[in-house]
Amino acid sequence: MPSPQQTSQALASLVNHLTTAIVLVNARMDIIALNLAAENLFRVSTHQMHMEPIGTLLLLDPQLKQQLLHSSNYQQSFTSRDTEIQQANGHKLWVDLTVTPVDEQSSLALEIQPLARMKRLTQEARMTTQQQASSNLIRNLAHEIKNPLGGIRGAAQLLQRELNPSLHEFTDIIISESDRLRDLVDRLLGPQRQTQKQAYNIHQILDKIEQLLRAEAGSQVQLIRDYDPSLPELLIDANQMTQVLLNVGRNALQALVENQISDGIIRLKTRAVRRFTIGNVCHRLVCCISITDNGHGIAADLKEGIFFPLVTHRAQGSGLGLSIAQSLIQQHQGLIECDSQKGHTCFNIYLPMETLS
Ligand SMILES: Nc1ncnc2c1ncn2[C@@H]1O[C@H](COP(=O)(O)OP(=O)(O)O)[C@@H](O)[C@H]1O
Ligand SMILES: [Mg+2]
């Protein structure tokens, strides 16, 4: 039989491992405790917040204040779904909020489940399914095109030997067009090389990208590096990661230069993010690499399909840059996502640093 002390330790540990943020307040609405998820969400510590009024964490509108007091006075719980709360620093969050009285002293437990995260996970799952379906289709189609192409090319070469040289221009067309089609199909099939991961400093790669972009942009665009120097080396394939960051960085540059944005800025930023879920795995620590530009943003009709192959808005574009970037990031068990509005387009790339066992 576990002792009462062991039971309460197990309970405390359980509460700390929940992904829902929990804030415990007394009847005077002073904070008694926060679990780890709440500390992460509000970026504060229990120690810092102990016995501080709830208003130092959340800006309570009159309605929420009323609901909390009612819940405390009458020992009744309530739930607000899909509701907006505002942090003391003004930052707004969409959440599901459940308030439950927990003892006779009218203390309350506030359970806060941020919805952006849930929405992101659902969206991510949907996108992955769609991408798997489309990449299967493309792979099958590519093989169906590639197989007869070899035959067509070979037959044209044989024919060429038999033909009068004055007719070679026609066989040359068949051969060169077959080669062009094979190249396209190869690019559609995506990177064939196995990922070779090694411990590597991501900032070294970003420096190289910055140099390349600077050389291409001249003085037209300002490039800003905003690195977290405390990041450890990551287990990555440096060549593949260079390709990813270059594809994304070049898009940002093209968005600024081709639209003649006069005060164009590209920001290359790295940060460590705690407790981040990619697919079904909750990582204790991930590295987030962001490439942000202040161009016009991604066209509305493109937004949904931006990572699909052959989706492009540029006359010279192949529409393969982002689809290749995404498949390379998936090979690193990472995630690439995009948030774009007029004047602010941000691609975030998340790479796991440590995995929760
Ligand atoms: N930073 C950005 N700003 C605006 N549009 C972008 C940005 N990045 C990508 N896009 C849009 O996404 C499309 C697809 O990009 P990509 O897959 O790299 O193919 P490509 O660059 O060959 O068109 C681009 O044509 C462009 O319209
Ligand atoms: Mg591109």
Side-chain angles (χ1 to χ4, degrees), residues 247 250-251 254 314 321-322:
N247 287 3
R250 268 215 180 107
N251 282 346
Q254 283 157 352
R314 298 179 34 245
L322 289 177

Coordinates of all heavy atoms in Angstrom, one line a residue, residues 247 250-251 254 314 321-322, ligand 2:
N247 N 15.8 26.9 -49.8 CA 14.5 27.0 -50.6 C 13.5 28.0 -49.9 O 12.9 28.8 -50.6 CB 13.8 25.6 -50.5 CG 14.5 24.6 -51.5 OD1 15.5 24.9 -52.1 ND2 13.9 23.4 -51.6
R250 N 15.1 31.6 -50.2 CA 15.0 32.2 -51.6 C 13.6 32.6 -51.9 O 13.4 33.7 -52.5 CB 15.4 31.1 -52.6 CG 16.8 31.2 -52.9 CD 17.1 30.8 -54.4 NE 18.6 30.9 -54.5 CZ 19.4 29.9 -54.6 NH1 18.9 28.7 -54.7 NH2 20.7 30.1 -54.7
N251 N 12.6 31.9 -51.4 CA 11.2 32.3 -51.6 C 11.0 33.7 -50.9 O 10.3 34.5 -51.5 CB 10.2 31.3 -51.0 CG 10.1 30.1 -51.8 OD1 10.4 30.1 -53.0 ND2 9.5 29.0 -51.3
Q254 N 12.7 36.3 -53.1 CA 11.9 36.5 -54.3 C 10.6 37.3 -54.0 O 10.3 38.2 -54.8 CB 11.5 35.2 -55.0 CG 12.7 34.5 -55.7 CD 12.6 33.0 -55.8 OE1 11.7 32.4 -55.3 NE2 13.5 32.5 -56.6
R314 N 4.8 31.8 -59.4 CA 5.8 32.5 -60.2 C 6.0 32.0 -61.6 O 6.0 30.8 -61.8 CB 7.1 32.4 -59.4 CG 7.0 33.1 -58.0 CD 8.3 32.9 -57.2 NE 9.5 33.0 -58.1 CZ 10.3 32.0 -58.3 NH1 10.1 30.9 -57.6 NH2 11.3 32.1 -59.1
G321 N 10.0 23.8 -54.5 CA 10.9 24.2 -53.4 C 10.3 23.8 -52.1 O 11.0 23.2 -51.3
L322 N 9.1 24.1 -51.8 CA 8.5 23.9 -50.5 C 8.2 22.4 -50.3 O 8.2 21.9 -49.2 CB 7.3 24.8 -50.3 CG 7.6 26.2 -50.1 CD1 6.3 27.1 -49.9 CD2 8.5 26.5 -48.8
Ligands
MG2 MG 10.8 28.4 -54.4

